């Protein structure tokens, strides 16, 4: 998520030509978009990070249900 925020911020700063980003090539920003796409579509799945996050959320919800039931 931090990568997406950084890309959007860089894109906005480049579009409005703020500071040293005015001279930055659009290819750098397009490369960051490609890197984010590769990360979220392939690498994150290979490492199992997407399943791990979902599993942690389900486990937390289960623990809260157990607490409510036995209180």
């Amino acid at each position: 998520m931090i990568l997406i925020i950084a890309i959007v911020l860089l894109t906005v700063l480049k579009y409005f030509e703020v500071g040293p980003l005015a001279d930055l090539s659009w290819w750098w920003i397009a490369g960051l978009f490609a890197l984010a796409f590769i990360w979220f579509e392939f690498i994150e799945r290979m490492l199992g990070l997407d399943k791990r996050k979902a599993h942690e959320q389900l486990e937390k919800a289960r623990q809260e249900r157990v607490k409510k039931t036995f209180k």
Side-chain angles (χ1 to χ4, degrees):
M1 187 65 182
I2 294 173
L3 182 60
I4 300 298
I5 293 170
I7 291 171
V8 170
L9 182 66
L10 283 174
T11 303
V12 169
L13 291 174
K14 170 64 178 156
Y15 181 77
F16 290 111
E17 297 182 353
V18 176
L21 295 176
D23 297 329
L24 184 69
S25 172
W26 280 106
W27 286 107
W28 285 103
I29 296 173
L32 288 175
F33 274 110
L35 179 68
F37 176 78
I38 291 169
W39 173 262
F40 288 113
E41 288 296 320
F42 302 110
I43 297 173
E44 190 175 52
R45 287 183 189 170
M46 286 180 3
L47 297 177
L49 297 176
D50 57 339
K51 303 278 185 190
R52 187 177 311 150
K53 289 177 188 175
H55 180 67
E56 288 173 358
Q57 290 174 349
L58 289 174
E59 184 64 25
K60 183 179 177 183
R62 186 188 69 79
Q63 288 175 353
E64 288 176 5
R65 282 194 314 269
V66 168
K67 283 181 184 179
K68 288 179 182 178
T69 302
F70 292 111
K71 266 194 166 182

